[in-house]
Amino acid sequence: MSFYVYNTITRKKDEFIPVVPGKVGMYTCGPTVYNYAHIGNLRTYIFEDVLKKSLEYAGYKVKHVMNVTDVGHLQSDGDEGEDKMALGASREKKTVWEIAKFYEEAFLDDCKKLNVKRPNVVCRATEHIKEMINFIEVLEKKGYTYQSNGNVYFEIDKFKDYTKLANLSIEELEAGSRIEVDPNKKNPLDFVLWFTNSKFKNQIMQWESPWGRGFPGWHLECSTMSMKYLGDRIDIHCGGIDHIPVHHTNEIAQSEAYSGKKWVNYWMHGEFLVLDGGKMSKSTGDFLTVKRLEEEGFSPLDYRYFCLQSRYRKQLIFSFENLDAARKSFKALKKRIATILENVCENDRFNNENINIYNEKFKKQISDDLNIPNAFTVLLDVLKDENLTNLEKKFLIEDFDKVLSLELTSVEKDLSNIDVESIENLIKERNEARSSKNYARADEIRDQLLKMNIEILDSKEGTTWRLK
Ligand code: AMP
Ligand code: ZN
């Protein structure tokens, strides 16, 4: 079965044909680690996770590489504004290195909670400075760069097709980027490859280079690191839609200038999550995080479920009301699944043909540019299909969950519905039964608790319990 993806550069749904049959090289732009990721950022990472898992479900072996931006990203995606890492450091009175370490860990923790699988390679910009310098040297030899006021710039007029990804004219790109006129640039859309004589005199992160002590421009890291880990032909490159006109446009220019060939075959971009009242911005500090959702009583998987209800190329409007509606529907789904699981019998029929029919239906939806809402419909069809045994249903639910990653078969760990007092009374009674050597009664109570999904643990310190 063919796999189709919407390709930003061709502006249509294209059949996915990898460079190497059966394998996928996939690069996704990672976080700038100067603050927590907001739930908008995380929508994009969830989309990329589902893409990777869908390709795996369709039988591909995926190598996924993601960068961590810990240097060089200014407030605007062009070369204007303050340095984001330095802003984070002064906000929290820490060093940029401490900030980078802290927020990288926080980001990876959030991903874990959302069941976003860690990429095969997670690479930091600051650990690839040598490669970035080599990259600029090649561009310099090929005549794509110039130096002005101490900085090294990429000259976009030397690269034909600069506008091909955004499908905008140079004038439209200029208008969209609201660039302050930088007298050092030949063309306002030229971008910095290496900063030396920058406005950031107190920049802590600096390295020696052939052009003087300094640090790399932001766009460079993605081209350099993706080529290091995936080679100079990449199947899929992803990010949020904001990256199309500047970051990804610049990545293409420098990568294709460097290698002299086409770089990425499929560009995939996730639409934004927007708040009911407008945009969410990481730089203003006014944004929602996974932690905030948890404080409001939502689980990270409620949020994943919420994201999966709409297609990745559609804008998604967030409100707590919408999230609450998603949580209710997620709970109802898990409840239906729990009933099926409770009724699975050891000698239920297991017919591979039944399984294959639904596998194919599910695959058809995810291969249609990730039609996840329709994939959920296939799941619902499984739940209500009277011709399937509960064992077959269980298998299919677990199988679809390889892509959805919603822990559909795990038991709700909801303490709010549990009568703690009666559990503790039963444990007390069991302990008394054991003291009087009435082991039959003690075992009976253990079994009774197990049926309530309560597991008891005996130790020297006494007996404790937990939800299974
Ligand atoms: P950043 O850490 O700012 O570099 O962004 C990380 C990822 O989140 C990038 O792929 C962005 O395109 C994406 N992104 C930023 N804001 C949003 C949003 N509101 N909704 C969805 N994705 C976003
Ligand atoms: Zn990037």
Side-chain angles (χ1 to χ4, degrees):
M1 190 185 295
S2 300
F3 200 100
Y4 290 89
V5 296
Y6 182 86
N7 192 352
T8 308
I9 207 155
T10 60
R11 277 165 280 282
K12 61 180 174 57
K13 235 191 261 180
D14 284 338
E15 183 181 348
F16 176 69
I17 299 167
V19 176
V20 179
K23 295 194 173 165
V24 183
M26 172 171 157
Y27 185 85
T28 57
C29 290
T32 305
V33 284
Y34 72 112
N35 209 332
Y36 290 106
H38 60 55
I39 58 171
N41 301 134
L42 293 164
R43 180 192 186 198
T44 294
Y45 297 108
I46 291 170
F47 139 61
E48 293 160 348
D49 183 63
V50 170
L51 170 64
K52 173 167 76 180
K53 289 171 178 166
S54 296
L55 287 160
E56 286 171 345
Y57 191 95
Y60 292 102
K61 187 164 176 14
V62 182
K63 179 171 179 187
H64 178 196
V65 178
M66 184 191 74
N67 65 309
V68 170
T69 299
D70 51 2
V71 67
H73 196 173
L74 307 192
Q75 274 172 313
S76 87
D77 286 350
D79 303 320
E80 321 310 323
E82 298 296 315
D83 178 305
K84 289 187 176 185
M85 295 305 298
L87 276 178
S90 75
R91 182 186 67 231
E92 297 184 22
K93 315 227 169 343
K94 289 185 183 152
T95 68
V96 271
W97 299 101
E98 285 165 340
I99 290 289
K101 184 169 184 294
F102 179 84
Y103 287 112
E104 179 186 316
E105 276 169 19
F107 169 77
L108 293 171
D109 276 356
D110 282 347
C111 286
K112 209 166 171 190
K113 286 182 180 174
L114 291 162
N115 283 342
V116 167
K117 196 173 163 197
R118 191 186 164 95
N120 305 78
V121 178
V122 177
C123 41
R124 300 187 186 112
T126 51
E127 289 171 3
H128 295 77
I129 301 295
K130 206 170 110 254
E131 289 90 337
M132 287 195 249
I133 291 174
N134 292 342
F135 200 103
I136 302 173
E137 283 177 325
V138 172
L139 292 178
E140 194 172 40
K141 269 195 207 109
K142 292 190 165 192
Y144 286 99
T145 68
Y146 62 93
Q147 284 190 60
S148 178
N149 194 29
N151 294 333
V152 183
Y153 291 90
F154 185 94
E155 188 169 358
I156 63 137
D157 290 319
K158 292 264 169 75
F159 181 74
K160 80 170 179 29
D161 290 343
Y162 180 75
T163 58
K164 68 183 171 189
L165 180 69
N167 195 28
L168 295 170
S169 67
I170 291 277
E171 293 70 33
E172 285 168 319
L173 279 175
E174 278 179 20
S177 58
R178 279 173 273 114
I179 299 168
E180 288 168 32
V181 180
D182 176 350
N184 303 310
K185 291 183 179 180
K186 293 186 186 175
N187 180 320
L189 295 174
D190 289 346
F191 55 93
V192 177
L193 295 166
W194 190 263
F195 287 98
T196 56
N197 192 16
S198 77
K199 46 192 161 185
F200 311 118
K201 296 276 178 257
N202 301 325
Q203 172 78 353
I204 293 161
M205 290 174 162
Q206 288 200 24
W207 296 266
E208 293 301 336
S209 86
W211 314 279
R213 250 182 108 67
F215 60 99
W218 172 46
H219 313 295
L220 189 60
E221 66 185 80
C222 291
S223 296
T224 309
M225 295 195 281
S226 65
M227 285 201 196
K228 172 167 178 177
Y229 296 106
L230 294 169
D232 57 11
R233 295 283 307 282
I234 293 174
D235 291 302
I236 303 179
H237 193 314
C238 305
I241 43 149
D242 56 324
H243 283 344
I244 298 171
V246 184
H247 183 50
H248 289 166
T249 287
N250 291 346
E251 281 188 30
I252 293 176
Q254 65 199 4
S255 301
E256 297 192 354
Y258 173 92
S259 71
K261 50 187 169 194
K262 185 174 174 187
W263 177 44
V264 170
N265 286 335
Y266 303 89
W267 284 92
M268 294 180 70
H269 291 98
E271 246 293 356
F272 263 32
L273 176 96
V274 291
L275 295 184
D276 226 355
K279 234 185 119 185
M280 197 162 16
S281 164
K282 201 154 138 180
S283 51
T284 60
D286 175 24
F287 57 82
L288 293 169
T289 56
V290 166
K291 192 162 155 255
R292 175 76 202 289
L293 300 188
E294 286 178 311
E295 283 162 5
E296 296 287 332
F298 293 95
S299 83
L301 293 188
D302 291 336
Y303 180 65
R304 184 174 173 109
Y305 180 86
F306 168 74
C307 291
L308 296 189
Q309 296 311 299
S310 70
R311 297 195 67 175
Y312 77 93
R313 291 205 302 121
K314 277 234 164 97
Q315 208 177 64
L316 179 59
I317 299 176
F318 179 87
S319 67
F320 278 106
E321 222 178 346
N322 294 348
L323 182 60
D324 193 43
R327 171 171 58 183
K328 286 195 179 109
S329 127
F330 184 33
K331 268 199 163 181
L333 174 67
K334 285 199 67 169
K335 216 167 178 181
R336 279 179 77 181
I337 291 173
T339 312
I340 290 170
L341 300 183
E342 274 164 25
N343 290 298
V344 171
C345 295
E346 248 175 65
N347 44 11
D348 269 350
R349 179 204 63 214
F350 189 87
N351 180 337
N352 276 323
E353 227 166 87
N354 288 343
I355 300 295
N356 289 343
I357 292 170
Y358 275 106
N359 276 159
E360 290 304 302
K361 284 188 179 175
F362 187 76
K363 210 188 285 180
K364 185 161 180 262
Q365 297 306 332
I366 58 174
S367 308
D368 177 17
D369 191 33
L370 310 184
N371 195 337
I372 304 301
N374 275 5
F376 270 102
T377 309
V378 178
L379 172 65
L380 295 179
D381 288 345
V382 166
L383 303 190
K384 61 180 184 238
D385 187 340
E386 286 173 5
N387 295 318
L388 291 176
T389 65
N390 287 327
L391 186 64
E392 288 163 344
K393 289 184 185 183
K394 176 174 183 266
F395 180 90
L396 285 164
I397 297 163
E398 282 169 350
D399 188 55
F400 298 171
D401 208 29
K402 288 179 195 153
V403 174
L404 305 174
S405 299
L406 288 166
E407 299 176 16
L408 292 172
T409 53
S410 77
V411 179
E412 273 295 294
K413 296 191 176 176
D414 184 0
L415 279 172
S416 61
N417 297 327
I418 287 176
D419 180 355
V420 175
E421 203 182 332
S422 67
I423 292 171
E424 286 178 350
N425 282 341
L426 280 169
I427 291 177
K428 196 162 156 240
E429 195 191 330
R430 177 175 167 268
N431 285 344
E432 283 162 7
R434 287 170 77 202
S435 312
S436 54
K437 300 200 166 31
N438 185 354
Y439 297 115
R441 176 68 190 139
D443 288 348
E444 210 176 83
I445 295 173
R446 176 187 286 271
D447 290 344
Q448 189 180 345
L449 286 165
L450 271 178
K451 278 197 189 127
M452 294 158 68
N453 277 322
I454 307 294
E455 191 175 24
I456 44 181
L457 310 147
D458 296 314
S459 71
K460 271 190 228 143
E461 285 77 37
T463 305
T464 53
W465 62 273
R466 67 175 182 211
L467 279 168
K468 257 206 328 159

